[in-house]
Each structure stands twice: as C-alpha cells, then as structure tokens.
C-alpha cells in the first residue's frame, strides 16, 4: 500500500510541476513568426499576450531587410515618411533587427506592454511598398 501512495504522491507532484510550466512547453514567451518578402511583411499570429515576445524573422525576399517594432495607434499606412524612410525621431521605436540578408533568419526578443504596434521594414521605400503589419498585444 505504501508503494501505491508513493506513486500517487509522485504523480501529483509531476502534475503540479507540469501545470506551473504552462501548457505549450515553450516557457512564458510568446513566439511570433514574421515572414518578410520584398513587398510584404506578415506576422503569425498577429496578437500576443503582454510580456516576453520572441519574433522569429524569415527573409524570403531577394533584398536585405530590417525588422522594426513601433508602438503606434496609427493605421498601418499612416506613418510619416521622409525620403522613403519613417523618421525614427517621430515614432515610438521599441526595438529592431537590422541587416537581415536574403534567405536568412533572425530572432528578436522583447518585452511588450499591452497596446497597438506596427511591424515594419524601414529601409528606403520598403514601408511604402507594403512592408508593414499591425500587431496587437493584449
């Protein structure tokens, strides 16, 4: 009987430990896949929980890109543009990954508060070509 009790107690400890680690097994960070092409940028999923977020960035385009996170309530096509670039002194830039070469991957981990964000490539004319995606943190 004591062997069965020990097994039951051990099973209970494992169940509590597994529940405290979260359901996905990926820790507390949300993982977002970002795909960049020469005229598009998509984030899957387009929402995340507040806290640690890791963006796994894939450059599937033929050009070098950069990945910029901007905190903004503006529509994706409403950011200011000067000479083909978003002036970084006129936005709330959270973080960025620069010089992502074609056919390569990058990763960017940030801690995000609840709110609205825009994910963009801020190289000349890339934002205007459609390299922007809305992103929401709840």
């Amino acid at each position: 009987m004591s062997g069965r009790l020990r097994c039951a107690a051990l099973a209970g400890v494992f169940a509590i430990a597994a529940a405290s680690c979260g359901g996905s097994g990926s820790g507390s960070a949300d993982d977002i896949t970002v795909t960049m092409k020469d005229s598009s940028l998509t984030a899957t999923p387009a929402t995340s929980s507040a806290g640690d977020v890791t963006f796994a960035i894939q450059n599937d385009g033929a050009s070098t890109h950069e990945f910029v996170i901007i905190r903004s309530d503006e529509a994706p096509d409403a950011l200011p543009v000067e000479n083909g670039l978003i002036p970084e002194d006129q936005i709330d830039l959270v973080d960025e990954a620069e010089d992502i070469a074609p056919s390569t991957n990058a990763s960017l981990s940030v801690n995000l508060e609840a709110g609205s964000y825009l994910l963009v490539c801020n190289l000349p004319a890339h934002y205007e070509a459609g390299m922007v995606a809305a992103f929401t943190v709840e």
Side-chain angles (χ1 to χ4, degrees):
M1 193 72 126
S2 72
R4 287 184 184 172
L5 287 175
R6 256 184 264 155
C7 287
L10 191 55
V13 169
F14 283 129
I16 291 169
S20 68
C21 289
S24 68
S26 62
S28 61
D30 281 348
D31 293 328
I32 309 300
T33 299
V34 175
T35 303
M36 304 177 93
K37 296 183 180 175
D38 289 337
S39 60
S40 69
L41 186 153
T42 57
T44 307
T47 61
S48 176
S49 299
D52 294 334
V53 179
T54 298
F55 293 92
I57 308 155
Q58 304 168 320
N59 182 353
D60 289 343
S63 303
T64 296
H65 295 295
E66 70 176 14
F67 176 74
V68 181
I69 304 169
I70 300 168
R71 185 167 180 138
S72 177
D73 291 324
E74 297 290 336
D77 62 352
L79 294 176
V81 177
E82 294 177 5
N83 301 318
L85 294 171
I86 300 165
E88 294 185 355
D89 62 344
Q90 296 181 29
I91 58 170
D92 186 0
L93 190 145
V94 176
D95 207 344
E96 64 186 314
E98 297 179 326
D99 300 325
I100 305 167
S103 301
T104 64
N105 300 325
S107 180
L108 181 63
S109 295
V110 293
N111 187 285
L112 298 177
E113 297 176 0
S116 298
Y117 296 82
L118 294 174
L119 311 175
V120 305
C121 177
N122 196 25
L123 293 179
H126 289 209
Y127 165 72
E128 294 172 304
M131 295 194 71
V132 59
F135 188 75
T136 304
V137 177
E138 301 170 336

